Amino acid sequence: MPYAQSQAGPKSPAKPRATELIQQHEEQLSLRRNFESYWQTLHDYFYVESSDVNKTYSAGNELDPSFLWDSTTLEASDVFASGFMNYLTPPTSHWSRLRHRNSETSARKAVGDFFEDVMSEVNYALNRSNFYDQMFPAYKSSGVYGTAILFEEEDIEDDIRFYNMPLKQVAVVEDARGRVCKYFIEFEYTAEQAAGRWGEENLSTALKEEIKQDRGRTKKHKFLLFIGERYAREIQKTDKKNLPIEAVWVDVEGKTVIEESGYNEFPAFCHRFDKRPFLAWGFSPAMKALPFSRLLNAIAKTNLRAMMKHTDPPIAVTHNAFIAPFNMNPRAINTYRKDAMTDGRDIFAFGNFGDPQVGLAGIEYYSNKVKILMYHDVFLAFSNITKDMNNPEIMERINEKMTMLGPAVGRYLDEVISPIVHRTISVLFRRGKLPEPPDELMVDPGYEIDFIGVLAQAQ
C-alpha cells in the first residue's frame, strides 16, 4: 500500500471552476477551427444573410455578394429549409401525437383523450411562441453547414422561447454514444448590460470600475455559458444548484463564475445532417454541392461578359496601326492603321464575342446539379402528388426519394424535435397548464411520440 501511494504522487490542486471551463472551451474551439473557413465559404455561396463565421463587419455591411453571379445556391438553401418545414413540422397542421408505451393502456379512451388534450396545449404553445420562426433558419443551417443548434428557454409571456444559435458562438462536446452532452455558448455584453442581467454586485472589479467611470455602455466583454449534466447534486432538493442540468455563466476576462443555475431538461438541441463517428460537427448537402456552385458562378460570370460583348461590343478606330494589346472588354476602344484594313471601314465592332447560349447551357447543367444535391427533386416529388394518383403510386414516388433522406430525418426527430416536445410538455406541466392525468397514467406514466408529418411517415 505505501508503494502504491508513492507511485501515485501528490494530487495537483483543483483548478477554479471558471478557469477549467475557459480552458475546455478553448480546447473545443481548436477542434472546430478547421471547420470555420469551410463554413465561411458555404455562407458566401448559400446563406449570405446569416452571421459570418470568421469575418467581421460593421453593422449594416454584413451582406457580401461578391462571390455570387447566379442565385441558384441561395434559392437551393431556401427550398431545402422550406421543404423540411412543410413536410416534417408544418405550421398549418399537426405533425405529432402521443401514445402510451403499453398498447392496451393506449387504447383506453381516457388515456387517448388526455394525450390529445396535452398535444393541443403543446401545439398552442409552439404556435404562440417563435418556434416556427426559428425552425426555418435551423433547417437551413443544417442543410448549409451540416450542424444546427436550437435553444429553448422558458418565457414569462409565451411559456417557451426559441433561439437559433449562430455556429460561431457555440462549441459542442459528444459523449461516448455520439450524443451532444455539453454546450459552450459565447455571448457579448457591455458592463451595463451585464449589470442589468446579473446585478452589479456580482460583476468583476474591472466591470464595476467601468460602470463607476461611466464607460460601461460601449465596450463589449465576453461571457461564456456552459450547459451540461450535473453529476454531483442532492436529488431531493429542487433549487437551481441541484437541477439535473447545470448552467454556469463565466466572465471570461475576469475568469470568475458570475452565476450558477440549472435546468430540469437540456435546453439546447443539436442536429447534424450527416454524421461521422467521433466527430461532433456534421456534414451537409451544401458541402457536396459546393464544387458545382463554384463552377456555376464562374460560368455565370464569364457568360455575363459574353452577353455584354454582344450588347455593347468593343470597337476599333483608325490610327495607322493597332497600337497596344487588344482590349476585348465590352465597349473597349482599340486603335489601328487605316491602311492595314482592306474594307475601308473607319469604326467598326470586332472581336471574339463568344456564344452566350453555350454559357446558358452550362449554367442550367450546374444549376440542376446543385438543386439535386440540395434535394429539390425530393420535395418536387411531394409537390407533384395529385388527388388522381392512387396510394401505391404515391408511395412509390415518395419512397424512391426517401432512401437518401432517411438518416437526416431520423436525426431531426431524435436530436431536436422529440426533445423539444418533451421539454415543452415538462414546462407546461410545471406551469399547471396541462389537464389532470387519468388513473391509468398515475400507475404507469410512460409515453412515446409519434410523428405524422409526410417526411416522418415516409420513413
Side-chain angles (χ1 to χ4, degrees):
M1 215 42 191
Y3 176 77
Q5 289 177 347
S6 62
Q7 288 289 343
K11 285 187 178 180
S12 58
K15 294 180 182 178
R17 182 66 165 148
T19 304
E20 179 188 6
L21 291 176
I22 292 171
Q23 183 177 338
Q24 290 181 21
H25 178 235
E26 290 173 350
E27 291 171 356
Q28 295 306 316
L29 288 182
S30 66
L31 297 175
R32 192 191 72 182
R33 205 147 282 133
N34 288 337
F35 279 89
E36 292 176 0
S37 59
Y38 203 11
W39 288 340
Q40 182 64 48
T41 303
L42 293 167
H43 163 278
D44 293 335
Y45 281 98
F46 290 89
Y47 201 178
V48 293
E49 69 271 28
S50 71
S51 300
D52 284 278
V53 180
N54 58 9
K55 292 181 182 178
T56 303
Y57 294 97
S58 57
N61 293 325
E62 297 90 349
L63 294 181
D64 180 12
S66 56
F67 289 87
L68 298 175
W69 297 88
D70 183 272
S71 64
T72 298
T73 52
L74 301 180
E75 296 169 6
S77 56
D78 282 337
V79 171
F80 175 92
S82 299
F84 273 96
M85 174 73 86
N86 292 328
Y87 297 117
L88 191 59
T89 54
T92 55
S93 61
H94 291 180
W95 40 264
S96 62
R97 63 190 175 197
L98 300 179
R99 64 178 173 85
H100 199 273
R101 292 173 181 171
N102 185 299
S103 57
E104 292 183 3
T105 305
S106 187
R108 297 180 181 177
K109 186 176 185 305
V111 174
D113 291 345
F114 170 76
F115 282 145
E116 188 173 340
D117 292 341
V118 169
M119 281 311 300
S120 294
E121 292 292 335
V122 170
N123 287 321
Y124 178 69
L126 293 175
N127 285 320
R128 190 175 56 184
S129 72
N130 63 338
F131 171 74
Y132 293 105
D133 292 339
Q134 296 300 300
M135 277 305 294
F136 183 86
Y139 284 132
K140 199 168 179 179
S141 177
S142 179
V144 174
Y145 305 124
T147 306
I149 297 172
L150 268 175
F151 198 84
E152 181 182 6
E153 279 276 33
E154 295 192 37
D155 187 78
I156 296 175
E157 294 183 5
D158 299 329
D159 296 322
I160 49 176
R161 199 81 185 157
F162 292 87
Y163 303 91
N164 177 53
M165 304 302 298
L167 290 185
K168 69 177 182 179
Q169 288 183 228
V170 186
V172 297
V173 181
E174 278 190 332
D175 62 14
R177 299 176 63 183
R179 302 171 303 184
V180 175
C181 61
K182 295 179 182 179
Y183 293 83
F184 295 88
I185 308 176
E186 293 180 84
F187 293 88
E188 288 188 343
Y189 296 114
T190 65
E192 282 194 354
Q193 290 172 333
R197 181 175 184 118
W198 294 291
E200 187 174 339
E201 66 278 4
N202 295 314
L203 302 185
S204 65
T205 304
L207 294 180
K208 290 178 182 177
E209 192 64 26
E210 277 193 25
I211 296 174
K212 182 188 260 186
Q213 296 181 7
D214 200 24
R215 294 184 291 107
R217 290 190 295 269
T218 55
K219 185 180 177 181
K220 296 276 189 177
H221 301 273
K222 286 187 177 181
F223 295 86
L224 182 64
L225 170 61
F226 168 76
I227 300 173
E229 290 187 28
R230 195 190 301 273
Y231 297 104
R233 66 189 182 98
E234 298 181 51
I235 59 174
Q236 68 272 18
K237 294 184 179 180
T238 57
D239 61 286
K240 62 183 182 180
K241 292 188 177 181
N242 285 287
L243 294 175
I245 308 300
E246 69 172 334
V248 182
W249 282 93
V250 177
D251 176 358
V252 176
E253 295 172 14
K255 295 185 178 180
T256 56
V257 173
I258 55 176
E259 183 183 4
E260 195 170 349
S261 184
Y263 299 93
N264 288 281
E265 311 85 22
F266 247 110
F269 319 102
C270 179
H271 176 259
R272 283 73 59 86
F273 188 90
D274 200 1
K275 184 76 176 64
R276 183 189 296 175
F278 312 114
L279 189 62
W281 303 103
F283 296 84
S284 70
M287 292 180 179
K288 299 183 206 174
L290 182 58
F292 300 107
S293 303
R294 285 174 164 150
L295 287 171
L296 169 63
N297 282 277
I299 292 172
K301 182 179 181 180
T302 303
N303 201 55
L304 176 61
R305 291 175 57 82
M307 289 188 290
M308 291 170 68
K309 287 181 182 180
H310 275 269
T311 307
D312 194 2
I315 62 173
V317 297
T318 61
H319 183 73
N320 291 336
F322 275 108
I323 299 173
F326 286 124
N327 186 346
M328 300 300 294
N329 289 308
R331 213 172 189 179
I333 296 178
N334 297 272
T335 57
Y336 67 93
R337 280 202 324 264
K338 187 173 182 181
D339 57 4
M341 299 300 175
T342 59
D343 56 4
R345 292 179 295 168
D346 289 334
I347 300 176
F348 60 92
F350 80 104
N352 178 14
F353 302 118
D355 187 353
Q357 293 303 316
V358 174
L360 290 174
I363 290 172
E364 182 179 2
Y365 174 80
Y366 286 109
S367 291
N368 288 333
K369 285 287 188 183
V370 171
K371 290 176 180 178
I372 288 172
L373 288 170
M374 294 296 286
Y375 298 101
H376 279 214
D377 54 336
V378 174
F379 302 120
L380 188 63
F382 289 120
S383 63
N384 285 337
I385 293 173
T386 66
K387 293 181 179 179
D388 298 331
M389 297 179 182
N390 53 37
N391 285 337
E393 185 178 358
I394 292 173
M395 293 310 299
E396 184 177 353
R397 278 177 174 265
I398 293 176
N399 291 333
E400 180 184 359
K401 303 294 183 181
M402 283 299 100
T403 54
M404 293 186 293
L405 271 183
V409 171
R411 277 189 288 272
Y412 271 126
L413 300 180
D414 293 340
E415 296 179 342
V416 179
I417 303 175
S418 287
I420 284 177
V421 173
H422 285 303
R423 174 158 167 76
T424 303
I425 290 174
S426 298
V427 170
L428 295 176
F429 173 75
R430 288 193 293 271
R431 296 190 169 212
K433 295 193 173 183
L434 297 182
E436 288 293 325
D439 295 338
E440 294 89 341
L441 294 181
M442 300 299 289
V443 178
D444 184 5
Y447 68 89
E448 294 177 342
I449 305 171
D450 275 341
F451 293 97
I452 54 178
V454 177
L455 268 178
Q457 289 296 303
Q459 304 306 312

